[in-house]
Amino acid sequence: AQPVLLKCLRDKRKDWKVKFWVADILGYVGDAGAAGALRKVVKNSNEKPEIRRKARESLKIIASRQRPSRPSQ
């Protein structure tokens, strides 16, 4: 599913609401590969602020999953 989501995120013809929800979903199902596409969205000043903000939030979610968890004491 992730390749299809990434394709939607890159498609300039997609409605902004579709791209917003794709950016949101990628935060939950995405991995490091999705992070690159999300970073491009964050840096793209032509994207709607709502999409850029959601991409930033998704990047934080992906990063939190990739950090090694500390053992409980």
Side-chain angles (χ1 to χ4, degrees):
Q2 187 171 318
V4 173
L5 293 172
L6 292 172
K7 186 176 179 181
C8 284
L9 192 62
R10 289 187 213 113
D11 190 342
K12 295 177 182 177
R13 297 170 296 162
K14 290 287 181 196
D15 183 75
W16 75 269
K17 292 175 217 143
V18 171
K19 294 174 85 172
F20 174 90
W21 289 113
V22 166
D24 183 53
I25 292 166
L26 283 171
Y28 295 98
V29 301
D31 57 14
L38 289 167
R39 274 190 217 95
K40 286 182 181 179
V41 171
V42 169
K43 292 178 183 179
N44 184 352
S45 61
N46 292 322
E47 286 289 1
K48 284 194 162 283
E50 296 89 343
I51 300 170
R52 295 172 70 196
R53 185 171 38 254
K54 185 53 74 176
R56 243 187 321 275
E57 292 171 13
S58 292
L59 282 168
K60 289 178 185 177
I61 293 169
I62 291 170
S64 71
R65 282 198 312 266
Q66 293 179 345
R67 286 188 209 117
S69 59
R70 295 182 183 186
S72 58
Q73 297 179 6

